Amino acid sequence: APACGHSRLTMCGICGYAGLHAPGLLEQMTASIRHRGPDDDGHCVDGDVGLGMRRLSIIDVAGGHQPITNEDESLVIVFNGEIYNFRDLRRELENEGEPLLTTSDTEVILRLFAREGEAMLSLVVREAIADEGDDLVGPVDRHGLLRAVGELE
């Protein structure tokens, strides 16, 4: 067994789809990865895009529910991982007047993405762009390859 004492290593899990209208699919997907995050689940469906997650609550246990959106809901994020310097990044955002609603590292990522754009990170973010369609910004490897950015119709 792992040193943490669990018989099975547990961590958050994310899932999603684009280009489908599939009622109930996201709930089935998150149910299938329940073992990845037993503490919470969240879903966001907008048209033919769905994002889901299972959460193992570590940071901001009470307030870190995902998906997280920005104020106008043009950005939605699900995140699996940990940003080790998020407290420093959070302080910078606060000092610049950014309104943070949680103490979650996920919200810090969302706020930075809103400011810096897709060049600053490697994860899945759905960005609604008025009159230009939607972008689904996807994962990249450490060399910037395997990037999945596409126009959704």
Side-chain angles (χ1 to χ4, degrees), residues 72 110 145:
D72 66 4
L110 182 69
L145 303 174

Side-chain angles (χ1 to χ4, degrees), residues 34-48:
R34 184 181 193 293
H35 63 281
R36 298 286 304 272
D39 299 331
D40 191 16
D41 70 335
H43 309 95
C44 178
V45 177
D46 186 10
D48 63 354

